[in-house]
Amino acid sequence: MLKTRVIPVLSLKGSGIIKTHKFKTQTYLGDPLNAVKIFNEKEVDELVILDIFASKENREPNYSKIKNIATECFMPLAYGGGIKTIEHIKKVFDQGVEKVIINSASTNYQLITNAAKIYGTQSIVVSVDIKKNIWGSHEAYTFSGTKKNKISLDSHIQNIAKAGAGELILQSIDNDSVMKGFDLKLIEKVSNQLEIPIVALGGAGELNHFKEAISHGASAVAAGSMFVFKGKHRAVLINYPTQKDLKNILN
Amino acid sequence: MNLEENKQNICSRCVMDGSDPEITYNSQGVCNHCERYDSLVQTRTFSGDVAKTELSKVIASIKASGKNKEYDCIIGVSGGVDSTYVAYRIKEMGLNPLAIHFDNGWNSELAVSNIEKTLDKLDIDLHTYVIDWDVFSDLQKAFLNASTPDGEIPTDHAINALLFKEASKRGIKYIISGMNFATESMAVRMWSYGHSDWTYIKDVYKKFGNGQSLKPYPHFSFFDLFNWTFLKRIKVVSILNYMDYNKDEAMEVLKNELDWVYYGGKHYESVYTRFYQGYILPKKFNIDKRRGHVSDLIRAGQLTRKEALKELEKETYPSAEMLNHDMDFVHKKFDYTEKEFNQIMKQPTKSFLEFKNKASKVDKIKLVLNFLRKKGILSK
Ligand SMILES: [Zn+2]
């Protein structure tokens, strides 16, 4: 069996990285290059970098920044933010990125299909940001969580899978940075419908949460806050579990 | 004795030499740093039974000041040996510290993992201040372009400012410092000046920075310092001066008790410090900070002069591979081309004296007079 990937997620804003809380308040975390260097030495499985306001601000990916990060990154790097066209995808790959992540453009299923044909399904990732409505049902959002999808979540994820995405990052907006655990019902619901790997994101605060996500159907787990904050004051301190700890909890 | 000969000279007791342009020697060939150490060691450190009594007194006052409060003191943490040992010892003595970390964008993995392990094992809460990288990198670059050897001052000054600011904000009366007279008694102002001189830092930035606001940068004036020390009564306690502090022994304790890992050089827990002390200072300024450090250890009886000289024969960088890697990383962090950086390395060097500063004029006059006296130009 393949090893379960445990993936730190860093959000870019301007030249720095930040961490949002429920997609709203932001904490500044510093220079991405240093964070990447530390994660390198911690032998992280894979790293996700998201330029979280690019689509909302109608910007293209910042290619030189991506290159800067990619050349410092020893582990596989996935990039998302501002990707709307095949041309964008090509340019992002040209900077040395292994996977691209489509989010706000994910209802353009043709884009996913075309990209998967050219670059291979394993390198095209789609991420879906999900919020619960007042009746407790899950709805997908785009543009930094500000725009609700017209299409239902179930149809949306099935279309994404059919279009040829290699994996799906399932992010809970409600649980973002809360660090009390993943939205397990959501993971279970989505993974039951799809064959492609699901990466759970949003809510991890301790190793046990990873185990829960896996047992509810996630193939890999990702986290932001857990790998950048420490203790009750949420002090910025980059961290990552040792391979030994991961093995103990995930096997 | 002419100046050239003087440059060749080296203290007969420690290993300080003419790389400190202000060094003077007495008739036995012992340098001014050694003389200063001898004259101050009694007043700066305690030992034996007196140390025990004084230590328990100061610990009691700290505890009393924190009664019914979440924390009774503040400590700075960097992942280095001194600050980690302070954390270890004060927890052992029952203090309840809040740890403060200044993240200047150059933390090594070893630094963050040492901090993490220490705080977890000792159950200490942490607060981190992450400085805006655009502002801080520009300040560091301003110091590089100013061509003074004080490139580490922006970090040192900010840490002090931050500790006082946090203490003041949180109503905490004690800052426990890892400074210790035993292993770092010596200050060579021509090697590093400006720890508490905001006037100097501001002037360097004004002349060589790109004009950003320094508001996010933690800083303090002498007025602030007065306010914190005399009005708010925040006390800085250098706790290591209350015990026989031996660096090697301290490291052993930390390795065994906290899984702490050594990073191969004084303050090398920061990538920039490693590069600054291991490459920029020796290459551009002909300053080997290890010379000061081993001289301190000689005076403290923790190293022989022979061992020190042998230590100085080693390369300043832990390995050539690491140097190459750090060099690339520094270029990238500062957005320098190799050519731009080499240009900076070639610039003629300057000192803080060429900038606005608050080093008292009296000090300067004294030093000149002392120098002239030693040279026999002025009578004693
Ligand atoms: Zn000496």
Side-chain angles (χ1 to χ4, degrees):
Chain A
M1 202 185 112
L2 274 177
K3 185 173 160 289
T4 308
R5 286 168 297 144
V6 176
I7 308 166
V9 179
L10 298 174
S11 306
L12 283 177
K13 188 195 179 190
S15 60
I17 45 174
I18 58 154
K19 183 67 205 87
T20 56
H21 187 78
K22 299 190 176 191
F23 276 34
K24 285 185 187 120
T25 49
Q26 301 167 10
T27 307
Y28 179 69
L29 305 176
D31 176 34
L33 278 183
N34 214 57
V36 167
K37 185 181 162 74
I38 293 171
F39 279 129
N40 273 337
E41 286 168 43
K42 290 192 175 289
E43 297 178 15
V44 162
D45 299 324
E46 191 175 319
L47 186 69
V48 166
I49 300 268
L50 301 174
D51 189 344
I52 53 175
F53 297 112
S55 292
K56 190 161 172 250
E57 292 164 3
N58 201 18
R59 280 186 285 113
E60 258 187 64
N62 181 342
Y63 302 108
S64 63
K65 187 94 194 167
I66 296 169
K67 184 170 187 174
N68 235 335
I69 292 170
T71 50
E72 190 58 38
C73 207
F74 299 162
M75 58 239 142
L77 175 65
Y79 168 82
I83 294 173
K84 271 196 284 196
T85 67
I86 283 288
E87 186 59 24
H88 296 163
I89 293 174
K90 178 187 182 305
K91 278 191 181 156
V92 168
F93 279 129
D94 286 347
Q95 313 311 316
V97 165
E98 274 80 10
K99 293 179 181 179
V100 300
I101 303 167
I102 299 168
N103 175 282
S104 291
S106 60
T107 44
N108 180 358
Y109 305 114
Q110 193 58 46
L111 175 68
I112 300 170
T113 304
N114 294 345
K117 261 184 203 149
I118 302 171
Y119 297 102
T121 183
Q122 76 292 340
S123 54
I124 305 301
V125 180
V126 173
S127 78
V128 181
D129 303 332
I130 292 149
K131 208 160 30 178
K132 273 194 226 164
N133 66 17
I134 48 169
W135 295 281
S137 50
H138 293 106
E139 295 173 321
Y141 283 74
T142 50
F143 296 93
S144 318
T146 59
K147 207 177 147 200
K148 192 161 79 177
N149 275 2
K150 293 204 175 74
I151 184 167
S152 78
L153 176 63
D154 286 351
S155 322
H156 184 46
I157 55 164
Q158 278 159 21
N159 290 345
I160 289 167
K162 258 185 248 155
E167 64 185 8
L168 183 73
I169 298 177
L170 199 58
Q171 167 152 239
S172 162
I173 297 174
D174 304 303
N175 292 21
D176 175 39
S177 201
V178 176
M179 298 175 79
K180 296 261 170 70
F182 291 97
D183 184 339
L184 299 173
K185 275 191 188 144
L186 173 68
I187 294 168
E188 195 165 73
K189 184 171 89 165
V190 172
S191 62
N192 279 341
Q193 297 177 55
L194 301 185
E195 295 293 320
I196 59 171
I198 307 292
V199 183
L201 173 60
E206 53 182 89
L207 281 176
N208 204 41
H209 294 153
F210 293 154
K211 198 177 176 175
E212 290 171 355
I214 301 297
S215 68
H216 284 76
S219 306
V221 286
S225 296
M226 183 175 159
F227 299 139
V228 296
F229 291 136
K230 170 109 197 118
K232 67 174 176 188
H233 300 302
R234 294 168 85 88
V236 176
L237 192 72
I238 294 203
N239 66 91
Y240 189 73
T242 61
Q243 293 302 325
K244 200 177 129 206
D245 286 343
L246 287 176
K247 227 181 206 166
N248 280 343
I249 202 89
L250 296 176
N251 285 356
Chain B
M1 194 195 285
N2 67 34
L3 224 79
E4 268 318 296
E5 270 173 68
N6 189 37
K7 260 187 191 161
Q8 300 300 314
N9 221 335
I10 180 165
C11 174
S12 58
R13 182 169 151 204
C14 70
V15 292
M16 285 301 291
D17 65 1
S19 62
D20 171 12
E22 295 181 328
I23 196 168
T24 56
Y25 305 96
N26 70 14
S27 52
Q28 275 89 50
V30 172
C31 77
N32 56 310
H33 302 293
C34 286
E35 290 195 306
R36 178 175 171 272
Y37 177 87
D38 290 341
S39 71
L40 292 177
V41 67
Q42 296 299 331
T43 61
R44 294 285 184 88
T45 62
F46 299 104
S47 63
D49 284 344
V50 186
K52 272 184 200 148
T53 323
E54 292 299 323
L55 183 60
S56 50
K57 264 198 238 165
V58 75
I59 294 291
S61 327
I62 298 169
K63 279 183 185 165
S65 80
K67 218 178 161 200
N68 302 324
K69 287 186 190 165
E70 199 176 5
Y71 307 107
D72 50 26
C73 61
I74 270 182
I75 53 173
V77 288
S78 65
V81 50
D82 299 335
S83 67
T84 310
Y85 192 65
V86 166
Y88 175 76
R89 287 302 300 268
I90 64 170
K91 256 320 251 205
E92 198 180 51
M93 295 183 280
L95 293 187
N96 196 11
L98 171 66
I100 306 275
H101 176 56
F102 176 63
D103 181 343
N104 70 353
W106 293 97
N107 272 335
S108 66
E109 193 277 330
L110 269 182
V112 294
S113 66
N114 275 341
I115 293 172
E116 190 188 3
K117 282 187 265 191
T118 302
L119 301 182
D120 279 347
K121 293 233 162 120
L122 298 176
D123 190 23
I124 296 174
D125 290 340
L126 176 70
H127 167 78
T128 303
Y129 182 78
V130 184
I131 176 83
D132 184 303
W133 174 244
D134 290 337
V135 171
F136 192 69
S137 59
D138 197 48
L139 181 59
Q140 287 193 310
K141 283 161 80 170
F143 270 84
L144 284 181
N145 284 303
S147 260
T148 70
D150 307 319
E152 283 281 88
I153 289 300
T155 300
D156 294 344
H157 182 85
I159 290 172
N160 280 325
L162 183 65
L163 295 179
F164 272 108
K165 276 175 197 247
E166 288 295 331
S168 171
K169 195 172 90 187
R170 296 165 190 269
I172 298 171
K173 295 295 174 197
Y174 285 90
I175 297 170
I176 316 290
S177 153
M179 289 292 287
N180 62 94
F181 199 76
T183 71
E184 47 185 26
S185 65
M186 197 175 65
V188 184
R189 63 173 205 163
M190 286 304 173
W191 285 6
S192 177
Y193 171 82
H195 300 82
S196 51
D197 196 341
W198 174 231
T199 302
Y200 170 49
I201 296 170
K202 250 190 324 194
D203 196 45
V204 167
Y205 191 69
K206 197 176 150 203
K207 286 172 179 147
F208 290 96
N210 65 14
Q212 294 177 69
S213 158
L214 287 182
K215 219 172 163 195
Y217 174 73
H219 58 267
F220 64 96
S221 62
F222 288 108
F223 176 77
D224 293 322
L225 201 57
F226 178 83
N227 179 27
W228 290 328
T229 5
F230 294 106
L231 303 180
K232 298 215 164 172
R233 309 231 162 222
I234 298 167
K235 295 179 190 67
V236 179
V237 176
S238 299
I239 205 93
L240 300 178
N241 288 343
Y242 290 76
M243 46 189 92
D244 293 316
Y245 180 55
N246 180 300
K247 219 159 234 192
D248 288 338
E249 286 169 21
M251 283 202 268
E252 270 319 295
V253 170
L254 300 180
K255 281 177 197 164
N256 295 332
E257 303 292 322
L258 305 176
D259 260 340
W260 177 91
V261 179
Y262 184 54
Y263 35 79
K266 192 174 157 66
H267 296 315
Y268 280 14
E269 66 270 25
S270 151
V271 179
Y272 192 64
T273 305
R274 184 162 76 200
F275 187 70
Y276 201 80
Q277 297 191 4
Y279 184 80
I280 296 179
L281 280 180
K283 273 270 174 337
K284 176 166 174 173
F285 298 94
N286 200 21
I287 292 170
D288 185 348
K289 278 230 166 154
R290 296 176 308 173
R291 187 175 289 282
H293 181 52
V294 293
S295 290
D296 277 328
L297 292 177
I298 292 170
R299 284 187 285 262
Q302 298 185 18
L303 199 71
T304 66
R305 195 166 180 277
K306 207 172 152 192
E307 286 166 334
L309 287 168
K310 210 165 169 193
E311 183 68 29
L312 292 177
E313 280 170 21
K314 291 185 194 158
E315 294 290 329
T316 48
Y317 239 84
S319 78
E321 193 195 345
M322 187 185 256
L323 172 59
N324 284 335
H325 197 262
D326 285 357
M327 176 90 77
D328 284 346
F329 191 63
V330 169
H331 291 170
K332 206 191 242 181
K333 289 269 290 183
F334 282 154
D335 205 8
Y336 281 143
T337 62
E338 205 180 324
K339 206 176 145 195
E340 282 167 335
F341 180 74
N342 290 338
Q343 205 57 42
I344 288 169
M345 289 298 290
K346 276 189 235 139
Q347 290 297 316
T349 62
K350 288 186 194 155
S351 87
F352 70 94
L353 296 168
E354 293 164 67
F355 294 85
K356 278 187 199 162
N357 67 76
K358 286 266 161 77
S360 78
K361 289 202 170 86
V362 182
D363 264 358
K364 271 186 254 168
I365 294 166
K366 249 195 224 163
L367 274 158
V368 173
L369 292 180
N370 278 342
F371 182 78
L372 295 176
R373 279 196 194 103
K374 289 271 142 70
K375 298 283 150 206
I377 297 165
L378 265 184
S379 60
K380 307 256 176 210

